[in-house]
Amino acid sequence: MIGMEQAPHPALELQDVVRCYRQAGEALEVLRGADLTLWPGQSVALIAPSGAGKSTLLHLAGLLERPDAGEIWVGESQTAHLGDAQRTAMRRTEIGFVYQFHHLLGEFSALENVMMPQLIRGLSKRVATERARELLVYLGLGERLQHRPAELSGGEQQRVAIARAVANRPRLLLADEPTGNLDPKTADHVFGALTQLVRASGLAALVATHNMELARRMDRRVTLQDGKVVEVE
Ligand code: ADP
């Protein structure tokens, strides 16, 4: 029901990606030839100390920043040469984001929050409602459809944010500390919902987290060392 076609391509591929920042006149090479491949249905934890470049990697993968060198594939598409409008369109349809804070719209219900990206994409209200309801029920929020974010617990808010992120059936889900703001038990529950959804839908997920216990439940763990992506046990 939440499925998408199984693509023969990786959902995401970073090839020899370089990203430099200027800080006080000095060049800071955050990524120096980073390679990473995520396959559909795979969940990958990104664990690295603060300042190692996790957000930079997520922003690049999410087409929010451009690499200084290298190529980023999202499904069958190379993205380095794309213009801003094409990158925005890809971001809307191919990529879902979950942040540490839910960023839900306070004046709208859970259902409406999940409908929103679909309506922006041009889907009908009927289709958007059906999909939003299906996702929220799947995530255990069938009794909370009409609640506004302020009427939901932290864990429920984050599950709505996850439903919103995947509403347009993206092939890639990027999450930056999605459970960083939750108590351990709630974090565990939200994380379980996220990984279950990833496996059931064929999505690929890259999740930055400091929580090793949660990271161990994902398919792979990677870290950043000297600007490169390295697999860890
Ligand atoms: P993490 O998410 O692992 O904490 P970041 O990707 O945020 O790491 O940052 C990696 C490094 O790049 C840090 O040293 C940070 O100060 C620097 N950095 C990040 N964004 C910018 C920017 N826009 N301009 C200058 N330096 C930046």
Side-chain angles (χ1 to χ4, degrees):
M1 70 158 194
I2 299 169
M4 56 172 275
E5 280 170 38
Q6 194 76 3
H9 276 263
L12 171 72
E13 190 164 11
L14 272 65
Q15 294 174 330
D16 212 7
V17 166
V18 175
R19 184 73 176 113
C20 298
Y21 294 116
R22 292 236 139 240
Q23 275 192 358
E26 302 263 315
L28 175 70
E29 265 199 328
V30 179
L31 297 179
R32 313 178 187 193
D35 295 308
L36 175 65
T37 304
L38 257 74
W39 292 94
Q42 228 180 24
S43 56
V44 178
L46 174 59
I47 321 148
S50 233
K54 297 183 296 298
S55 302
T56 301
L57 188 77
L58 288 172
H59 291 162
L60 288 163
L63 310 184
L64 293 163
E65 280 187 38
R66 289 174 184 274
D68 295 297
E71 182 58 90
I72 296 170
W73 293 74
V74 177
E76 296 83 5
S77 308
Q78 289 176 273
T79 62
H81 65 286
L82 294 180
D84 286 342
Q86 285 169 301
R87 290 164 65 86
T88 302
M90 272 197 88
R91 217 162 33 234
R92 221 169 253 165
T93 54
E94 306 275 359
I95 306 171
F97 296 90
V98 181
Y99 301 95
Q100 183 171 355
F101 300 99
H102 57 78
H103 298 298
L104 296 171
L105 299 171
E107 64 274 36
F108 293 99
S109 68
L111 192 74
E112 288 165 336
N113 267 281
V114 181
M115 289 169 65
M116 203 70 73
Q118 303 176 77
L119 298 177
I120 290 170
R121 192 190 173 176
L123 296 181
S124 73
K125 209 168 159 194
R126 188 184 58 78
V127 169
T129 308
E130 226 163 81
R131 167 81 175 156
R133 179 177 291 125
E134 188 179 64
L135 274 169
L136 288 167
V137 168
Y138 184 81
L139 290 167
L141 294 166
E143 307 294 313
R144 299 283 183 277
L145 301 180
Q146 302 305 334
H147 287 52
R148 293 185 181 196
E151 299 162 344
L152 298 170
S153 71
E156 289 171 341
Q157 291 167 348
Q158 245 353 28
R159 279 183 280 150
V160 177
I162 291 167
R164 181 186 52 181
V166 301
N168 279 333
R169 295 187 166 81
R171 63 172 85 221
L172 180 63
L173 181 67
L174 300 171
D176 202 349
E177 293 284 352
T179 59
N181 195 34
L182 303 173
D183 66 78
K185 194 159 163 260
T186 308
D188 194 74
H189 187 195
V190 169
F191 206 81
L194 190 143
T195 43
Q196 193 183 346
L197 184 67
V198 168
R199 294 211 174 101
S201 64
L203 257 175
L206 181 60
V207 181
T209 180
H210 281 110
N211 190 326
M212 269 311 287
E213 203 181 309
L214 297 183
R216 265 193 283 273
R217 283 163 43 186
M218 304 191 72
D219 298 324
R220 282 164 58 201
R221 285 145 294 283
V222 298
T223 190
L224 285 163
Q225 260 170 29
D226 300 324
K228 289 191 179 354
V229 179
V230 181
E231 303 278 334
V232 288
E233 270 315 299

